[in-house]
Amino acid sequence: MATGYADLLRAPHAMRLLAGTLIGRLPNATAALGIVLLTRAQGGDFALAGALSAVYGIANAVGQPLLGRAVDRLGQPRVMLPAALASAAGMAVFALAGLRPLPLAYAAMLVAGFFTPPLEGGLRALWPGVLRRPERIHAAYALDAAAQEVMFAVGPLLVTLLVAGFSESAALLWIAAVGVAGAVSVVVSPPSRAWRSEPRIPDWLGPLRSRGIVVLVASFFFVGLSLGSIAVAAVAYADGHGGGMVSSYVLSGTGFGALIGGVVYGARQWPGVPERRLRLLMAGLAVCYLPLVLVPGVAFMTALAALSGLFLAPSLACAFVVVDRHAPAGTVTEAFSWIVTGFGVGAAVGTAASGPAAQYGGAVAAFTVAGAGGLAALAVLLAGGSRPPAPSNQASGTEKDRIATAQDGLRSTHQA
């Protein structure tokens, strides 16, 4: 297992692209916590903090597919670098000006969220040209999904340490600067500069004209809803089980399970078409969410949380492969960005729905929302059809053709 991942990361530029993308996405992973901490430090209540976070999240959900479409048309450096600088500038304005005047704070959150660069989709568009072999690409998707769980676990801890050592404003400024550095590391790399999207058919729907992409976006909306619900349910559970660090134990258990699942999944090749495999993985994800409603003692609950995360990273990794197969020619970055958008909007809805559930029904009701989300995600995939539809990009070339095209671009860049 370790040998396979080591071989993957030894590929030219692979480690740099993975690390740069993860670092560049750090602001997005820590934004919600940073916004709440700064708002509370300046006398704002949780309602205001939630409203500012919602503006950031909604703007991010709108901006990701639009920026992804721009990347497909103009290339990565011409879109991602200005976007990263604009997003960091918005966060810096909020960090320095705070809540006064309030309209400026909302405008800063709008800019910071909307211009978050689509690094996640951009990385997945680069893998074919960097890794060259399909089996490596599939392993990279799994490693990326697993590493993402580490980032979302470490990011909030890093913000907390920066706030304790300096201040809320300093934490936001530092995270924003690090995010720009990560984005710069990606966009100045030869693969990013050489990458060109395939020619696309003019169509305002873009990747959403593919039935397979629409089904995936809808399904991962409900996966996001489950995760958003678990975040609130963990806090409600902690209130009834001693408080303190209990909620972090549950959330860390979910992240640890996803990390293990992603690493194991990516260590081997799996038979069969990915569309059918995704349905099986999603079934595992849905089933493993259900025992959370038992709300046992802390140790057993942490183990159940780890079980609930076990199929998350594999489901994401398999979904990335399906996206690559179904995205119409010239829309791959936008297609990946739509999955991110569906996931993020679902998480916001899950957080909103599980709040009242926890208020009136406690942790059991909140975890029930998570379980319902997992079942809905599976139902959407099953309703999408008993047979996987033919990949939309087959008409524009096979995966080997796309890899060869990307390699030609890289060779041209090195020769220049």
Side-chain angles (χ1 to χ4, degrees), residues 3 13 49 51 77 93 139 152 168 189 233 277 291 340 384:
T3 302
H13 312 292
V93 168
F152 276 88
E168 291 79 8
S189 67
R277 186 164 66 251
V340 174

Side-chain angles (χ1 to χ4, degrees), residues 320-334:
F320 301 154
V321 176
V322 176
V323 169
D324 192 50
R325 284 164 53 85
H326 288 259
T331 69
V332 63
T333 306
E334 184 183 351

Side-chain angles (χ1 to χ4, degrees), residues 287-311:
V287 168
C288 289
Y289 279 148
L290 298 179
L292 293 173
V293 300
L294 298 174
V295 293
V298 175
F300 194 21
M301 189 66 190
T302 303
L304 289 180
L307 178 66
S308 75
L310 198 61
F311 287 92

Side-chain angles (χ1 to χ4, degrees), residues 115-143:
F115 287 102
T116 299
L119 291 166
E120 191 170 355
L123 174 65
R124 288 155 197 163
L126 293 177
W127 281 137
V130 173
L131 300 177
R132 305 187 180 189
R133 299 200 304 267
E135 65 273 14
R136 276 182 168 183
I137 298 169
H138 299 169
Y141 286 154
L143 183 60

Side-chain angles (χ1 to χ4, degrees), residues 380-399:
V380 168
L381 281 184
L382 295 177
S386 58
R387 294 182 180 179
S392 298
N393 58 22
Q394 281 184 343
S396 63
T398 65
E399 187 172 27

Side-chain angles (χ1 to χ4, degrees), residues 97-171:
L99 303 179
R100 300 290 182 270
L102 194 55
L104 180 61
Y106 278 110
M109 290 297 91
L110 182 66
V111 170
F114 183 87
F115 287 102
T116 299
L119 291 166
E120 191 170 355
L123 174 65
R124 288 155 197 163
L126 293 177
W127 281 137
V130 173
L131 300 177
R132 305 187 180 189
R133 299 200 304 267
E135 65 273 14
R136 276 182 168 183
I137 298 169
H138 299 169
Y141 286 154
L143 183 60
D144 181 19
Q148 179 175 276
E149 297 304 318
V150 176
M151 180 191 67
F152 276 88
V154 172
L157 176 61
L158 180 59
V159 170
T160 303
L161 293 175
L162 288 169
V163 169
F166 301 95
S167 68
E168 291 79 8
S169 295

Side-chain angles (χ1 to χ4, degrees), residues 18-19 21-23 25-30 120 124 141-159 175 227 248 251-263 309 312-313 316:
L18 180 61
T21 300
L22 289 173
I23 294 171
R25 286 153 55 191
L26 189 60
N28 201 31
T30 58
E120 191 170 355
R124 288 155 197 163
Y141 286 154
L143 183 60
D144 181 19
Q148 179 175 276
E149 297 304 318
V150 176
M151 180 191 67
F152 276 88
V154 172
L157 176 61
L158 180 59
V159 170
I175 292 293
L227 289 183
S248 67
L251 295 177
S252 296
T254 302
F256 179 75
L259 174 62
I260 296 300
V263 170
L312 177 59
L316 286 168

